[in-house]
Amino acid sequence: IQAECERLAEEQANMSDNFAKYRAQCEEQLLTEKMQMEQKTQSISKECSDKIGKNEALLRKRTQEFFSERDRLENEKAGMIREMEKFRIESERKMKAEEQEMKRRTAKMKADFEQRSLEEKNAMEKKTADFFAECQKKISENEATMAKKAALFQAERARLDREKAEMTRQMDLFRTECERKIAAEEQDMKRKTAEFRAECQRQMEEEKSAAMRRMDEVRRLADEQLKTERAVTEHIKAVLQELPPLQTAMELGDLALLEEELWKWRADVLPDRFGECKGVVEAVLKLAKERLITWRGVDHMWKDVLREVETMPGSLSTMTQQCQRLFRTLKEAQLTKMDLRRSDPQAMEKACDVLLAWQARAMAHSNAVHEQIIRKVVTWPQLGLFDFTDLDICLRLVDRRESDSAVFLSRVLALVQDEKTAPKDLRSLLSHVETMLFFLKYAKSEDLGKTHMEFRAQSQGLDPNVAQYLRAVEKDYPPGAELVKLAADRDLFSGTNVRSVLQELRQPPGAGKRDGLGIFREIFYQWAVAMQSRFNLLVLPHHTQVVCLLAFRRFLEDAGAAPGAALKGAPVPSAQKIRALIAQVGTGEGKSMIVAALAIYVVVALGKKAHVVVDDETLLERDFSTFKRLFDNFQVKDGEGRKRPLRANLCVSEERLAAAGPDAASSALAARVDPEADIVYCEAKHVQSFYASIARSERRDFSGYKNRVLILDEVDALVIDEEPNEAFVYPNRELSQMATSIAEALKKGTPSQQIDVPNHPSASRLMGVMLKEWERSKAMVPGEDFVFGKEIGKYVVLQSGRVNPKAWSLALECKNFQEGFSREIFFQERLFVMSRPRVFHKYHRILGLSGSIGSQPERRFLQETYHAAFFEVPPFLKTCKGAPFHEAIPACLGESRQPVYVEPTAAAQFARVAEVALEARERVPVLVIAKDRTQANTLVEYLHQAARSRGMGRVADDAVRSLSRTQYETDAEQWKENLNRSTMPMGGEGGSGAKAWRVTVTDPRGGRGTDYRVDDTDVDAAGGLL
């Protein structure tokens, strides 16, 4: 109340101050206006005086000008008289005859002058009078105006006096009214203050009571929460005390312990002591029960298989089936985290015994490596994708007599016994050792002279520049300058000899001799050291590989030479026209090693970067992992001349990168091309994505391509078979919604004219596209245009026989919508179309290697599109002395005994294939390559029927097997089994005991990058795999 009274007093004081200030302002304003009026009056009076003074001064000035003009005229008159006098005297002297005439003229001129002077004087007097009259008039007007303004000023002054008196009266009234209101407000304020005090007292009492109620409620809730938390804590304690034994049983994989622990939880209803944690306990119990059921199934299958094999089945096929079941049981136990050894301590030994017994009967030459492989596989904790077929293949790779293959078996045994070697790597490692020993067998037989001769044999069909490269290589690497000298009696398996060979390999020629190999010598040395440390075998490059690499080196050096600065013997002007050099290197001739060596040469010697493009992701990862250790042994110089380790990356899919997890960095994996990496192994899509990223950037700087070289593995697959253009698209959410609404109407059978389309600029275009693609989707053929992707649960695009889940097709979107595999249409707009030739042309140069360069039309295409030149690398064995090399010749088969058949219809072609294949399988294994997966599947069914019609009965399904991509995507294990059996004999049908072989049908993908191993002497004698 006191504060309120003080506030009212303060407001009253403020009001008095404001009133005083207002009165002072009014008086000040009146004084100011009075002074301004006086100043205006003085200003007007002064202005009038100034104007009158100016008029008088102007009049005086003009009068003075008039008198000055008059004086000037008089002076002129006096001067004229003088001149006339002089003229007269002169005239008298010169022309006395004209004296009278001159006098007359002079008199006349005088009269005229006087008249003119009189007229000008009268006019001047008139002007002066008019000027005085005008001045008098203006002065009168000014005086009248001044009088009028003075009267107005007096009237305004009187009005202001009246207003001042009225304002004084109003101020008195206002003062009286304010005093009355202040008194009234003071009384009202006292009343309100009393009421406010009472209200505040009441509210304080209410709030106090409410606060007490809230405190009681909070205290009650806190007590309840504390009780609840104590109960939950007790529940958690109960869970922590009773669940761990159950979880431990699951983690240990102990079936008996899990059954024992679950018996403790046999009650249908969980005890109340778990409280709110019942959900967690129920989930763990459910998982434990499911795992128990699974483990019981595994245990039952395990015991069933062991019981069946106790008697050792009589037939090998039955025993093989039982071993397959046993192996699947082992893998099932691993997948479900069951430890068979806890249920059966002798489980692993029993499995090894069974598999060893089967191996002893299935393999021709049982040895110690077989046993080590089986024991390693059985005891390996996680087999992953490694299955019984892989085990069978590995065992057959080492199925050799120890007396005949001691070196091979000893090297393989070391690999198998290496703890770092996983079963999934065994197959590739064993094949690698076999290949290395094969090459090493003929290393001493290689003849550099024959090598150059084989290269020269193709010179007539070569581009002149390529022929010149090969001639230059023959000078750089002539006979006698071999990497190492291998005497016939030199043991290449002796550790001492191998070390000396490695030293010789790295040692350049003596003083005064030119080293034609350069950095390739160090590359060969580092590769040999890496292989020696891994396989304990000497690896040397073939002469064919060395010549091929040196030819590529010549091409790159010519490409980098300035015009007029050609290398010796190299015609640079025409060489500049060649932008791509492609070498045909046969399968198994070391193409991958050539690619890796070229990449290192480009980076280390030329200071550029290399993009290595491989057309298959599996082969891509295999090659990179093989040569990664070689790349790590080299260094390059940075921009400041300092050395740093060479950086090599592998581009993989986003899924593969995510699966690698933390190991991605150490494995040098990346989802996109790293512009800073020196060597990048990637697919064509990564190269195109790299180009697109530059094209979409703000700078669009493609100058970096001048410092990059493109190396293509399998040129025909990348350049000829693939589409030259690729559309880059981006999702459009708005159009996707419109497309979905259109698809819903079309699915209901609504006519296109009745479909309600939103008002959108692209509506009509979208409607036309949707109608066209909706109809096209109905004509799409399964197996040719699309297949069902089990992983994503809908149809996916087939491109060049390969499943591409990331490829987008509006027609396939409509197909999935029609079949109910999707509920919306995912519409994408085309951003731009990328040309693969344009991308490849950006690189400094293109180096290509391929198993087959193609036909003449394909070569012309490469020449015209990529300015390519070609040469062939002869087979390794063809350059060896006494090697068993023979040229492949077409086999005359079928009814007409001819190598080529052209049939009028597809049915006739199938019939001819069946005739030729089923006849040839009696001597050799047969591989049929269809144009795509659909034709491969159809051909398999046709061959099955043809085999049955020949009386083969149930053997037909085994005699004809599929290796199509469809088979791989459906059952990868069966696909591997078919591949393994494709070159294995079947035995006699009907008990005849005659050896027969299988017919394997595959698509183009199975015709490249897939190894078909044939090691039967009878097959070799009959011409080999057909």
Side-chain angles (χ1 to χ4, degrees), residues 935-949:
Q935 189 185 61
N937 298 335
T938 306
L939 189 55
V940 168
E941 293 299 323
Y942 186 91
L943 289 174
H944 280 159
Q945 296 176 6
R948 294 188 189 100
S949 67

Side-chain angles (χ1 to χ4, degrees), residues 448 452 456 467-483 508-509 513-518 520-521 524 543 546-555 557-558 567-570 601:
L448 185 53
H452 287 301
R456 287 196 303 270
Q468 185 66 35
Y469 297 155
L470 294 176
R471 287 194 293 270
V473 169
E474 190 169 356
K475 295 179 181 178
D476 292 338
Y477 189 55
E482 290 84 351
L483 283 167
K513 294 183 179 181
R514 180 174 175 270
D515 185 10
L517 297 178
F520 286 117
R521 186 179 294 277
F524 298 150
H543 292 324
V546 177
V547 172
C548 178
L549 287 169
L550 294 179
F552 276 118
R553 183 184 70 175
R554 275 284 175 172
F555 168 65
E557 289 176 347
D558 283 358
L567 296 173
K568 185 177 180 181
Y601 170 76

Side-chain angles (χ1 to χ4, degrees), residues 573-645:
S574 58
Q576 295 293 341
K577 299 177 183 177
I578 302 176
R579 296 193 56 82
L581 183 60
I582 301 173
Q584 178 172 303
V585 184
T587 302
E589 296 292 333
K591 181 174 56 178
S592 299
M593 188 270 174
I594 297 175
V595 169
L598 280 174
I600 296 174
Y601 170 76
V602 167
V603 173
V604 178
L606 302 184
K608 300 182 182 297
K609 299 182 185 300
H611 288 173
V612 179
V613 179
V614 183
D615 71 324
D616 184 272
E617 58 184 351
T618 303
L619 300 178
L620 174 69
E621 189 163 353
R622 182 201 69 183
D623 288 350
F624 181 80
S625 59
T626 300
F627 294 100
K628 178 64 167 62
R629 70 191 71 170
L630 177 62
F631 299 147
D632 292 341
N633 289 330
F634 285 88
Q635 292 183 327
V636 294
K637 292 183 179 180
D638 58 16
E640 299 178 359
R642 294 175 299 187
K643 288 188 175 182
R644 60 170 177 80

Side-chain angles (χ1 to χ4, degrees), residues 610-616 620 624 649-652 672-673 680-687 710-711 718 843:
H611 288 173
V612 179
V613 179
V614 183
D615 71 324
D616 184 272
L620 174 69
F624 181 80
N649 278 1
L650 170 65
C651 288
V652 296
R672 293 174 179 81
V673 174
V680 179
Y681 271 63
C682 58
E683 297 178 65
K685 63 182 180 182
H686 297 115
V687 169
L710 181 65
I711 304 176
L718 288 167
Y843 285 89

Side-chain angles (χ1 to χ4, degrees), residues 113 188 192 210 249 280 338 455 464 497 615 705 863 909 940 1011:
F113 176 75
D188 187 52
K192 287 181 178 180
V280 177
M338 176 183 179
F455 275 100
N497 288 340
D615 71 324
Y705 275 99
Q863 288 173 336
Q909 183 187 26
V940 168
D1011 295 331

